[in-house]
Amino acid sequence: MDDKLMLMIPGPTPVPERVLQAMAKHPIGHRSADFSAIFAEVTANLKWLHQTENDLLILAASGTGVMEAGIINFLSPGDKVIVGSNGKFGERWAEVTDAYGLNTQRVTSDWGKPLDPELIRVALEADTNKEIKAVIVTHSETSTGVINDLETINKHVKAHGALIIVDTVTSLGACNVPVDAWGLDVVASGSQKGYMIPPGLGFVSVSAKAWEAYKTAKLPRYYFDLGMYRKNAAKDTTPFTPAINLIFAMQSALQMMRKEGLEAIFARHDRHSRATRAAMKALGMPLYAPEGNASPAITAVMPTGVDAEQVRSVMKKKFDIVLAGGQDALKGKIFRIGHLGFVSDRDILTAIAAIEATLLELGAVGVTPGAGVAAAAAVFSGK
Ligand SMILES: *Cc1c(COP(=O)(O)O)cnc(C)c1O
């Protein structure tokens, strides 16, 4: 049915009507006082969301672009870095550090498992000459639905003294990422995930310690030179033409977020993650991420007895609900339910009911009609 599409994928995520309306205006000049006032409000509210007093820079780029910026601005060719890799995104950052000629040490876990903070501790303690300049970690590994233990990993990095550079693309705006309380140096995320606006903006916060490293960092940079963004942010503008209408959208979305409040936003994502997991278990569908390391943004399911791609296909054709598939080696093996950003309890119940109907249609064995919805409803009622 036209105009009924429901995105239950980990980006792009649903956009509220008022945010769409905010975008549907003529652009204004970005060197105007009107624009600077909006830009200042957006930056202040993003700092609130990031729980930081650090510089918060806004780039016209997707998440990968700001993450690349977050890496190249603080390092020099040949620098030793540790990259945590337990999924598609962790591996992507290792590809970036390889591409820039850094000396990359991968610390890996199997896909579907969290990174082992002990392996990172051991690698850092072995580095007595302090050659490791940065540790790069993906907080919520979207490809597998696993959340890594950033708090513990960060403690080990702090004990060593290297910079910590974090991909928080599907954790910021979904769960607690206290940038200043934890002392996270470089924190990157993108607008089409937890921010309730379309793709196109990237955000990166930069600590004083990272700016120290910036002064001597020698990797080439130009469009992504964060020093230029910092200089211009002090004047409430950007070095190059910003994605003006997305800034309008961000202004509106952040006003909504401030009204809801950080605690309520985190509680909602946690509730949706628990309800979705409980529902899948009640339907006999194995969860891919272990208990205790489930992403607040995405639930990965490895179905038995039915084909993951068929589940996605029926969901789309019959119910206009888009689920994500598996990436790389997981292609065809898992489906992923996004519950990130502008998602309500009703959306979760709808998606679960549709998954039940889909499983029944596909003849999955052991599916009790209504069991998934009942399990999710129990989570919502706190019983
Ligand atoms: C979506 C995502 C990104 C960024 O992807 P883009 O397509 O460049 O926006 C990075 N890391 C994670 C964990 C993601 O989920």
Side-chain angles (χ1 to χ4, degrees), residues 275 278-284 352-353 356 360 366-378:
M280 290 305 114
K281 270 195 254 175
L283 293 170
I352 287 166
E356 280 187 10
L360 291 170
V367 173
T368 311
V373 170

Side-chain angles (χ1 to χ4, degrees), residues 82 107 115-125 135 153 157:
I82 287 181
V107 173
L115 291 172
D116 182 355
E118 270 306 286
L119 294 180
I120 293 176
R121 183 185 65 78
V122 168
L124 288 168
E125 279 183 5
V135 176
I153 292 169
V157 178

Side-chain angles (χ1 to χ4, degrees), residues 329-350:
L330 291 175
K331 211 170 175 61
K333 298 207 170 101
I334 61 169
F335 63 83
R336 294 175 299 147
I337 307 161
H339 32 78
L340 176 59
F342 187 55
V343 175
S344 70
D345 292 10
R346 184 186 71 195
D347 298 327
I348 299 293
L349 289 175
T350 303

Side-chain angles (χ1 to χ4, degrees), residues 10-11 61-65 67 89-90 92-93 138-143 167-170 190-193 199:
S62 80
T64 304
M67 197 56 195
F89 291 99
R92 180 177 295 175
W93 311 137
T138 301
H139 190 194
S140 165
E141 182 42 87
T142 315
S143 61
D167 166 355
T168 58
V169 178
T170 54
S191 62
Q192 81 275 29
K193 305 291 177 103

Side-chain angles (χ1 to χ4, degrees), residues 52-111:
T52 189
E53 302 285 322
N54 286 341
D55 285 303
L56 190 296
L57 307 172
I58 306 172
L59 278 62
S62 80
T64 304
V66 274
M67 197 56 195
E68 180 163 327
I71 293 170
I72 66 174
N73 275 270
F74 309 106
L75 296 163
S76 300
D79 274 355
K80 215 167 170 182
V81 295
I82 287 181
V83 180
S85 173
N86 60 330
K88 174 132 187 114
F89 291 99
E91 194 46 39
R92 180 177 295 175
W93 311 137
E95 284 172 16
V96 171
T97 58
D98 282 344
Y100 278 95
L102 297 169
N103 179 356
T104 307
Q105 182 182 351
R106 286 169 171 76
V107 173
T108 60
S109 284
D110 288 343
W111 286 36

